[in-house]
Amino acid sequence: MEALADILAWNPEMAGLMMDFGTLPPAQRNSLWLCMLHPGLRDFYRDRERTLREGIADLRASGGPSR
């Protein structure tokens, strides 16, 4: 994962725990996007609201998207 929360690589263990990111279009391989919008992961996070708040804070601290 990089500063913008894009998922650049994964291993079989992560695919088994969360999902196989290879099944997603590259534009959707983003941990914040997945946490916020992917219906299959809504219940994955113990404290989803906190995860989103912290992820957005990290994104802002990094200077935000430059794309």
Side-chain angles (χ1 to χ4, degrees):
M1 200 159 64
E2 47 89 66
L4 299 179
D6 289 336
I7 300 165
L8 304 176
W10 56 94
N11 58 30
E13 290 79 14
M14 187 61 171
L17 175 66
M18 210 171 180
M19 67 181 311
D20 182 0
F21 300 110
T23 63
L24 297 172
Q28 292 179 6
R29 294 180 196 157
N30 180 280
S31 62
L32 287 176
W33 186 93
L34 291 169
C35 183
M36 193 176 302
L37 299 173
H38 194 282
L41 295 177
R42 284 197 162 274
D43 296 327
F44 177 79
Y45 300 92
R46 179 175 289 162
D47 187 346
R48 185 171 162 262
E49 294 299 320
R50 180 179 177 181
T51 300
L52 286 169
R53 274 194 316 272
E54 290 176 357
I56 291 168
D58 290 343
L59 181 64
R60 287 180 176 161
S62 74
S66 58
R67 314 183 218 181

